[in-house]
Amino acid sequence: MPHSPFRTRLHGEALCRVLPFALYMGFIAVQEALGMAQKAGVVHLPAAAHLYLYPVKILSVAALLVACRHTYRELCLDDLRNVKSGAAVIAVGVATFIAWIFITWTMPMAPPPPPFAPGLLPEGWVRVVMTGLRVAGAVLVVPVMEELFWRSFLLRYLVRVQFSSVRVGDFTLSSFLITTLLFGLEHHQVLSGILAGAVYNLVCYKTRSITLCVLAHATTNLALACYILCTGNWHLW
């Protein structure tokens, strides 16, 4: 039996929100596998190898987001015209950053990912470009990719499989708790991640805007990037 146009469209909309996130996580899995292989003596990589993998990861995800951009109808720049809402969301993003740097509990059984260490890179333009790509990825790519997956797709998919029929910001306790917990587990600083996931969910419920969720997330990441660059706390990256 042939698929209906509605089911085909729905399947495509889901893939466009899941694939960028899956690609991002796939690169992380590759990085962790290479790290384990190196510790086991199976492969021998230079200390800065993981730093050069990041631009490939972030540019690949960005390219996929651009390719799927026409399906992201919930990303509406008009939502940014409300100055009061935008300012409130930015304040929430800053508060989330402050909590992030003070809540330091991590998964005790999981080794931390290798930090961004610019000292391993050659001085000059290579270090500048690689650091700039790290900031751009954290501020411009990751918030869009994650909010499309967590708040636009999964938060609604857990309400109804035909997720696009669920309004952005419709609340159920189960979808809130599941996405909050999973968002935390995605990050090495689990408690900070859980708090951030809850905050971004609440922004979604309050504003019914994925664009403002992206703004809150990007603000947190920008503040964190500035803090890391100023203090040298590279382990936070």
Side-chain angles (χ1 to χ4, degrees):
M1 180 180 296
H3 294 293
S4 70
F6 174 77
R7 287 185 178 275
T8 302
R9 179 174 62 83
L10 181 62
H11 186 63
E13 288 182 350
L15 282 178
C16 285
R17 288 156 181 79
V18 173
L19 284 180
F21 179 79
L23 179 62
Y24 186 86
M25 298 304 293
F27 271 104
I28 292 176
V30 168
Q31 179 177 309
E32 291 182 352
L34 288 175
M36 293 174 61
Q38 187 168 13
K39 287 182 179 179
V42 177
V43 297
H44 300 282
L45 300 171
H50 69 282
L51 300 179
Y52 292 100
L53 184 62
Y54 185 84
V56 179
K57 173 175 66 176
I58 213 65
L59 292 174
S60 298
V61 171
L64 193 51
L65 290 170
V66 171
C68 295
R69 66 190 183 279
H70 297 301
T71 68
Y72 303 142
R73 293 178 298 278
E74 66 274 38
L75 290 180
C76 180
L77 292 180
D78 286 345
D79 292 353
L80 300 176
R81 292 183 178 181
N82 189 322
V83 177
K84 183 178 179 181
S85 295
V89 163
I90 289 172
V92 168
V94 172
T96 305
F97 149 72
I98 294 171
W100 191 278
I101 63 174
F102 282 106
I103 302 175
T104 57
W105 190 87
T106 60
M107 289 289 285
M109 300 298 293
F116 179 78
L120 298 176
L121 297 167
E123 292 186 11
W125 70 268
V126 173
R127 187 177 298 181
V128 171
V129 170
M130 294 289 283
T131 303
L133 284 171
R134 186 77 187 200
V135 174
V139 177
L140 301 177
V141 179
V142 170
V144 176
M145 175 266 296
E146 288 200 326
E147 293 310 311
L148 284 171
F149 175 75
W150 292 108
R151 254 58 66 179
S152 178
F153 171 69
L154 191 59
L155 196 63
R156 293 191 287 167
Y157 181 83
L158 292 171
V159 176
R160 190 177 304 127
V161 173
Q162 295 177 344
F163 76 98
S164 62
S165 66
V166 179
R167 291 190 307 165
V168 170
D170 278 4
F171 174 82
T172 68
L173 181 59
S174 60
S175 63
F176 170 77
L177 293 176
I178 292 171
T179 53
T180 296
L181 177 61
L182 292 178
F183 188 85
L185 292 174
E186 179 200 354
H187 298 83
H188 184 63
Q189 291 183 225
V190 178
L191 288 184
S192 297
I194 288 175
L195 174 63
V199 168
Y200 301 147
N201 278 349
L202 292 174
V203 169
C204 184
Y205 296 137
K206 180 65 176 178
T207 66
R208 292 188 178 274
S209 169
I210 298 299
T211 304
L212 291 178
C213 291
V214 171
L215 178 61
H217 198 152
T219 300
T220 301
N221 287 7
L222 176 60
L224 184 62
C226 292
Y227 174 78
I228 291 169
L229 292 175
C230 291
T231 63
N233 285 304
W234 306 112
H235 67 280
L236 293 172
W237 257 353

